[in-house]
């Protein structure tokens, strides 16, 4: 039997909501991290947007929480093969933060970075227009540390390694700059519906 590159061993269920090569994780939410989970108290958390912006700014926990709330309700997909349906994240739309800092016209890409040093690169277009959030709640409860709490980036239309846990900031650039997994062979963008798992896919 020929085995193609990718993840195998799970039964594939016909489901129009599943991107190719994915399975429904049901009630499970697998914990996958490139780093040791930090114990970061909300009082020690901050979030900064800088780089190609008119007004770089840092928000502390209470300042971020005071911004107009927004939520995402839908599905998420991990590059390792699982998908989770009907999730709900609460937080603030990334558009709200960008409105405050005013990205320059030359900004085309972003690097999101965590309080642990992890990075992920994204086209700026994937972070605007109501497509990304800074989230601190999951299904109405505080986001657990192992899933990125106290706050994480949520970019649900891309594979979830792009949704940086323990988010500390976003730097806007005029070029693409690979993050942690992208430097280790993963795709620059990571669209689940096009199976953009690895460089060259």
């Amino acid at each position: 039997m020929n085995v193609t590159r990718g993840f195998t061993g799970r039964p594939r269920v016909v489901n129009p909501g599943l991107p190719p090569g994915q399975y429904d994780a049901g009630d499970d939410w697998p914990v996958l991290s490139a780093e040791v989970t930090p114990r970061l108290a909300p009082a020690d958390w901050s979030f900064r947007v800088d780089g190609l912006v008119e007004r770089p700014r840092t928000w502390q926990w209470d300042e971020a929480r005071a911004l107009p709330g927004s939520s995402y309700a839908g599905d998420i997909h991990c590059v390792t093969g699982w998908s989770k349906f009907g999730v709900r994240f609460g937080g603030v739309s990334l558009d709200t933060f960008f409105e405050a800092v005013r990205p320059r016209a030359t900004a085309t890409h972003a690097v999101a970075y965590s309080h642990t040093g992890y990075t992920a690169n994204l086209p700026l277009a994937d972070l605007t227009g109501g497509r990304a959030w800074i989230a601190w709640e999951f299904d109405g409860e505080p986001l657990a540390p192992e899933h990125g709490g106290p706050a994480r980036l949520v970019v649900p239309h891309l594979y979830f390694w792009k949704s940086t846990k323990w988010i500390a900031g976003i730097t806007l650039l005029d070029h693409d700059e690979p993050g942690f997994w992208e430097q280790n062979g993963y795709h620059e963008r990571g669209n689940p519906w096009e199976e953009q798992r690895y460089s060259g896919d």
Side-chain angles (χ1 to χ4, degrees):
M1 180 178 74
N2 293 326
V3 178
T4 58
R5 184 177 62 160
F7 297 90
T8 61
R10 290 275 185 171
R12 298 296 185 245
V13 178
V14 176
N15 182 330
L18 274 175
Q22 299 291 110
Y23 71 90
D24 184 352
D27 292 333
D28 293 335
W29 187 2
V31 177
L32 301 168
S33 299
E35 301 166 297
V36 174
T37 299
R39 297 297 167 179
L40 182 64
D44 297 324
W45 179 87
S46 63
F47 175 67
R48 180 171 178 81
V49 183
D50 57 19
L52 294 177
V53 299
E54 297 289 345
R55 298 181 295 193
R57 181 170 174 184
T58 300
W59 289 262
Q60 304 302 320
W61 179 255
D62 289 343
E63 294 172 321
R65 293 292 301 252
L67 295 172
S70 181
S71 63
Y72 167 74
D75 312 326
I76 56 176
H77 310 287
C78 181
V79 70
T80 59
W82 59 264
S83 292
K84 193 166 176 60
F85 293 94
V87 303
R88 186 177 181 86
F89 287 96
V92 173
S93 170
L94 204 51
D95 291 320
T96 300
F97 295 98
F98 287 158
E99 286 169 9
V101 300
R102 296 180 4 202
R104 296 182 185 273
T106 51
T108 59
H109 289 78
V111 172
Y113 56 93
S114 76
H115 280 271
T116 59
Y118 174 89
T119 58
N121 64 315
L122 303 103
L124 182 56
D126 282 313
L127 297 176
T128 58
R131 306 182 85 191
W133 291 260
I134 301 300
W136 38 73
E137 291 182 356
F138 177 76
D139 284 350
E141 299 293 333
L143 188 63
E146 62 268 24
H147 291 301
R152 73 176 297 157
L153 177 64
V154 174
V155 190
H157 65 283
L158 300 180
Y159 282 126
F160 223 50
W161 93 78
K162 297 289 187 176
S163 295
T164 306
K165 295 181 179 181
W166 318 298
I167 187 72
I170 293 175
T171 299
L172 301 191
L173 307 170
D174 61 2
H175 61 279
D176 197 9
E177 188 172 294
F180 177 83
W181 285 116
E182 295 79 21
Q183 294 177 41
N184 286 279
Y186 278 60
H187 198 275
E188 292 297 313
R189 181 155 184 257
N191 183 338
W193 295 97
E194 296 180 10
E195 284 199 276
Q196 293 176 339
R197 302 179 191 273
Y198 308 107
S199 177
D201 284 348

